[in-house]
Amino acid sequence: MDHAAVLALYDREMREGARPDGPGARIERAGGVVRQVADELGWNGVLWSGLDAAGADRAVREQIAYFTGLGRDFEWKLYAHDAPADLGARLLAAGFRAEPAETLMIAETAALALGTPPPAGVRLVAATDPAGIELAVRVHEKAFGTDGAPLRHRLLARLAADRGTVVAVVALAGAEPVGAARLELVPGTPFAGLWGGGTVESWRGRGVYRALVAHRARVAAAHGCRYLQVDASAMSRPVLERLGFHPLGSTTPWCYEN
């Protein structure tokens, strides 16, 4: 893989040329910034920016004023290669708070080993209705310790309006949900995203996460997606590297709360 070429393609297709991530969301281009605007439970934030040192502080102030005027908390999704080089420090000075950095990882779907099965006693099932979505949300809350309401809202909305662009899957041990994840397809681009992969603590280290990655990779391959993208946590990165994903840089969510 040509890392520089794929990273440039990712920036162009998935950030600067972003599509809304669900019904009711919209993409806006304001000067040197591309942002998504959604409702209170959707994702609101800056996806891409093309700024220089002279105009960066003004652009940051403008985004704060815009989202504050809407009454929205929002996120500035900053990548390590974004300019200016001190944009993170500027966001900090403007009142943003940094979440843990993640690694942008991309793999060519055709190069991945897709035969990884789930561990013994676990089966993977598609979450295609409200009951299935509730199982996925339960895993999310247990695995990450966060409120699952925004995820529930977004998945139900996507299944109702754009069923073909999101694939949610749950790992069940008997009737107990022990892992969950989703694949987001982006029609018109060569990319698909792996999101929300989580395993409840008592099942970690047994291969549930690897099986969820392989399952979603098979689905992406069947849809003709050339590349799979993940924003990987420190816990997920070693597993993904062993599966064939390449680290292309880092990304930090900078959050601004009204």
Side-chain angles (χ1 to χ4, degrees):
M1 180 190 292
D2 183 332
H3 288 195
V6 173
L7 181 60
L9 180 65
Y10 177 79
D11 279 346
R12 185 169 64 250
E13 293 283 346
M14 301 298 289
R15 301 182 62 210
E16 188 176 6
R19 287 77 164 164
D21 73 356
R26 65 183 185 273
I27 298 296
E28 297 181 344
R29 290 164 176 83
V33 166
V34 174
R35 64 194 178 207
Q36 175 169 293
V37 183
D39 61 20
E40 293 86 347
L41 290 177
W43 188 87
N44 289 273
V46 173
L47 292 155
W48 175 88
S49 63
L51 305 175
D52 57 24
D57 289 337
R58 182 178 66 254
V60 170
R61 290 193 301 268
E62 288 172 350
Q63 297 314 304
I64 292 173
Y66 180 80
F67 282 105
T68 299
L70 296 175
R72 301 281 192 274
D73 296 342
F74 74 105
E75 177 183 314
W76 193 300
K77 191 116 171 77
L78 180 66
Y79 289 73
H81 60 281
D82 288 346
D86 65 348
L87 185 51
R90 294 170 187 257
L91 293 171
L92 179 63
F96 286 78
R97 171 181 51 82
E99 294 288 327
E102 301 165 319
T103 302
L104 171 65
M105 306 190 75
I106 294 178
E108 290 192 81
T109 309
L112 295 173
L114 304 181
T116 305
V122 173
R123 69 189 193 281
L124 305 183
V125 298
T128 58
D129 57 20
I133 296 302
E134 198 58 40
L135 292 176
V137 171
R138 280 174 54 189
V139 171
H140 179 88
E141 291 179 331
K142 288 182 179 180
F144 301 111
T146 56
D147 180 13
L151 176 63
R152 180 184 297 108
H153 170 78
R154 292 171 64 189
L155 285 178
L156 290 175
R158 288 282 292 271
L159 288 175
D162 299 310
R163 180 176 291 269
T165 63
V166 62
V167 176
V169 60
V170 179
L172 294 175
E176 181 65 22
V178 297
R182 70 187 188 277
L183 169 73
E184 296 193 359
L185 303 165
V186 188
T189 80
F191 292 94
L194 303 185
W195 297 97
T199 307
V200 300
E201 187 172 3
S202 60
W203 276 86
R204 290 173 187 165
R206 305 195 202 183
V208 173
Y209 180 77
R210 292 193 300 275
L212 289 168
V213 172
H215 175 86
R216 289 175 291 165
R218 289 193 295 272
V219 175
H223 281 83
C225 298
R226 181 175 180 181
Y227 297 109
L228 282 174
Q229 169 261 326
V230 189
D231 291 345
S233 67
M235 182 183 299
S236 300
R237 175 174 172 167
V239 178
L240 292 164
E241 285 189 296
R242 288 194 294 272
L243 291 172
F245 283 78
H246 299 260
L248 268 61
S250 65
T251 177
T252 302
W254 284 88
C255 301
Y256 191 93
E257 297 175 354
N258 285 301

